[in-house]
Every structure is written in structure tokens, then in C-alpha cells.
Amino acid sequence: MEKSSDIPVLYIDALYGNIDETFRTGNKKMEGELLALFAKGKVKGLYFEPAMYPMKGPYADLDKQLIVLQAGFLSYLWTVCYFMIGLIDIYQEGALQSATVLRLSDDDEFLMLNNTLGWGRSLKFGDEDELTPWPAHIPNPTQSERRVLQANHIFVLATCYLMYHEVGHLAFHADAKDFIKTTKSSGYVLTNEDKRRIRTMETQADFYALDCMIASIDGEHGRYHRFLGAIIAQLSEFFVRVLPAHTRGGMHPDLDERLKRILNRADIQHPGYKVNIDLTSTIGLQLFFALTFANYIPEDQSNFTFDSFEDLKKYLFNIIGEWKDKYHAEANKNQ
């Protein structure tokens, strides 16, 4: 593991060791596979980049065979994990009430959660030379509160999911680095074949990441946490979008399709774990609509009920699909 010597104290530093250890030794099958990739020189390690701006997710440096993790993005991802864990707690308490729609704006605890996520999302913007210290009035990874410890655990797994995606690129797409450089060069116009090839590479890396997460993990407890980490990692991509239509992936698979892929793979039978996975995905999608100011609740709420989480997920994914179709139609009209 490489780490810059001038990383500022931003609390997320405290979890770098956990990330590195879980990534390398999280399960027996992956430990052996990573050792083989290291031995072949296809993966040389991790590099923790201290920059906060502009916030950038994990990426594979195909020239140096490194996976680069940025402090700004990791800080944001932690706030997402903390927020989602707290929001699930609030929803579970609200399930005991008779209200069809839970008004979170009336909950003091939600305001603290909202401030935490709000700071995390703010890291998307700012000057690269600017240093934004972790605010003292919100939770941070060094505290010992139950919810913080839960967030730390899920955060490490969510980060590993994103890192395994990048390992997939290093393992399978190292021979494509000249192609990737060409597509990113100034003035180059992507062909439809270029776009198809890039989307295929991203889909392959997605499948690989999910395989890495659950490889040789037989117990439902461990599999549940790993699926939860993958789901929250994917939801974090939603929460920095401005419009529902921005779930369109362009050269990457659409965000909703990537989330569906994880949910379809989550073969969890334990009732409590299954409910939490359903809660996390449906609450996350509803939060996405709230953050993008997209109305998904009908004026007449008397019939706004669902017989199952599957029906609710279908309803929410259909709304995203409608937004994407509308965006696609308008883009074609303007061409």
C-alpha cells in the first residue's frame, strides 16, 4: 500500500488500514487470486491520494498497475454509509406507525443525518487546492458510537466492491490501455464500436467485482454484509446526480441497471437480512428522487401502497426508466 506522506487529517485516514487488509484478505479465494495478480505484476497495490477536490471515485492506473483511492471520494462514501444506516433505523421505527408516507423533515435525528450527507455531497465541488476539514458537528469514522462502527464496517466493504471493479480492469483490460488513451485524447470522436467496447469492459468489471465480494463466503451473515456494501456503493453513484435522467451511463452501463444486477444476485434468504436489503435499495432510490427534486409520490396517497418490496422496486425503477426515455427522446430531437 502506498500513501502520500502529506495526507491531511480528515478522519477517513483512520480506515485506510482496514480497507487494505479487507481488500487483500477479505476471503480466502480472493486472497490467493490477488497474490497471483501481484506476482504477475498485473496489480501492484493501492495508492491513497490525499486530494479532496475534485471528488473522484476509485480508478485503475493501467500504466502503474495501481488502484487509486481519493480521500475526498472516500469521505463522501463514508457519509453515504452513515446516512443509509441511520435512515434505515428511522424507517424501521416509522414502520410501527400507521402513516402511509413518513415525513422525515419532522425528525431531529434526520436533520443530523442530512447534514452529514450534505457535507459529503459538497465534496463534489470546490477548488483542488482547497482543504475542507471534517466538520466538528457531524459524526466521523474515529468515534465509537454504534452507528459509526456499523458505517465503518459497511464503508470498508463498499470500498472493496469498487476496488474489485478496478482490479477487473487491471486483470482483464491491461492490453486495452492504448485504446483507452486514444478514446480520451483531445479531438477524438468515439465511434459506436468504441462505446460498445467500453460498456462491455465496464460490465465485465461489474460482474468480476460481485464475484470477488462473495467468493468463498458461505454464511448468510457475511454474504448479506457484502451485498449491502455493494448496494450502498452503487447508490453513492446516484446521490451525486442532478436529474433522474442522469442515471444514463453513456459509455458505462446505466446506474439503475448496475443496481439491478446486484439486487438480482443477492440470494439472501434470512428474513431480517432480506428486509434490510430491500429497505436499503428502495429507500436509496427514494432518496435519489428527493435529492433530484423528482416527484414520485402521487397527490392521492390513499392508494399509494404496495403488496411487496418487489412491487415497490418495480415502481421506482419504472420511474427512472421513464426519465431516461424522456431524456433520450429529447436528445434525439435536438440532434
Side-chain angles (χ1 to χ4, degrees):
M1 174 184 72
E2 293 185 41
K3 185 167 70 171
S4 173
S5 59
D6 60 350
I7 289 183
V9 178
L10 292 167
Y11 294 123
I12 203 66
D13 304 35
L15 298 179
Y16 286 165
N18 302 60
I19 294 170
D20 188 55
E21 181 180 1
T22 304
F23 168 69
R24 294 172 184 267
T25 63
N27 62 65
K28 292 181 180 179
K29 182 178 184 299
M30 277 311 301
E31 183 176 5
E33 188 164 332
L34 283 172
L35 284 173
L37 290 171
F38 287 139
K40 294 176 182 177
K42 290 191 173 184
V43 180
K44 292 186 178 178
L46 312 179
Y47 177 76
F48 292 101
E49 169 59 55
M52 294 295 285
Y53 298 116
M55 189 176 82
K56 185 176 183 179
Y59 67 93
D61 186 325
L62 296 178
D63 289 323
K64 298 180 180 179
Q65 291 84 47
L66 292 173
I67 298 170
V68 181
L69 300 174
Q70 187 211 45
F73 176 81
L74 293 179
S75 299
Y76 160 68
L77 181 59
W78 189 90
T79 67
V80 172
C81 294
Y82 185 87
F83 183 94
M84 290 303 299
I85 289 170
L87 199 57
I88 290 171
D89 286 346
I90 292 175
Y91 265 75
Q92 288 175 332
E93 294 171 5
L96 302 177
Q97 305 174 13
S98 58
T100 303
V101 179
L102 186 63
R103 301 295 180 186
L104 296 176
S105 58
D106 300 330
D107 191 301
D108 290 339
E109 186 179 12
F110 175 74
L111 295 178
M112 183 272 294
L113 294 173
N114 197 39
N115 288 337
T116 303
L117 179 62
W119 175 75
R121 293 178 73 232
S122 76
L123 297 175
K124 181 180 178 182
F125 311 99
D127 189 275
E128 62 182 342
D129 296 325
E130 183 180 351
L131 174 63
T132 299
W134 201 291
H137 66 279
I138 65 173
N140 70 71
T142 67
Q143 296 170 344
S144 58
E145 181 220 345
R146 171 190 64 86
R147 193 173 288 165
V148 167
L149 297 179
Q150 290 177 328
N152 288 353
H153 179 58
I154 295 301
F155 161 80
V156 169
L157 293 175
T159 304
C160 284
Y161 172 72
L162 298 174
M163 291 161 62
Y164 288 139
H165 174 97
E166 301 308 326
V167 171
H169 286 312
L170 292 175
F172 303 124
H173 305 139
D175 60 344
K177 64 181 179 181
D178 290 337
F179 162 72
I180 294 172
K181 287 180 180 178
T182 299
T183 62
K184 292 182 177 180
S185 60
S186 177
Y188 183 81
V189 179
L190 289 166
T191 67
N192 288 334
E193 176 58 26
D194 292 337
K195 296 175 183 178
R196 185 204 63 78
R197 182 179 178 184
I198 293 172
R199 279 195 295 268
T200 297
M201 291 164 61
E202 293 297 331
T203 300
Q204 288 174 336
D206 279 351
F207 278 116
Y208 179 79
L210 215 49
D211 287 340
C212 291
M213 287 292 285
I214 60 175
S216 70
I217 305 295
D218 297 323
E220 284 232 317
H221 182 74
R223 289 170 67 86
Y224 156 68
H225 280 104
R226 282 161 175 77
F227 279 122
L228 195 62
I231 291 167
I232 291 180
Q234 192 60 65
L235 286 172
S236 73
E237 294 286 334
F238 282 82
F239 301 157
V240 288
R241 297 302 193 268
V242 178
L243 293 171
H246 290 175
T247 52
R248 290 181 63 84
M251 290 184 292
H252 290 65
D254 291 354
L255 295 187
D256 55 320
E257 296 303 323
R258 299 177 98 165
L259 179 58
K260 285 179 186 177
R261 189 150 46 235
I262 300 170
L263 295 173
N264 290 338
R265 187 75 179 275
D267 52 346
I268 300 298
Q269 303 302 319
H270 185 282
Y273 297 156
K274 188 169 181 0
V275 166
N276 275 354
I277 283 178
D278 288 334
L279 270 175
T280 302
S281 57
T282 54
I283 289 173
L285 291 174
Q286 291 174 73
L287 172 62
F288 167 63
F289 289 131
L291 292 172
T292 54
F293 302 99
N295 186 21
Y296 70 98
I297 300 176
E299 291 185 10
D300 181 8
Q301 299 173 14
S302 59
N303 294 318
F304 191 59
T305 58
F306 301 90
D307 293 331
S308 67
F309 274 114
E310 292 306 313
D311 290 340
L312 176 56
K313 280 187 282 190
K314 183 178 179 181
Y315 174 81
L316 297 172
F317 278 124
N318 282 344
I319 291 176
I320 293 176
E322 290 170 4
W323 274 93
K324 289 194 302 181
D325 290 343
K326 179 182 178 181
Y327 179 85
H328 185 65
E330 291 179 351
N332 287 339
K333 188 188 303 181
N334 295 327
Q335 286 181 351

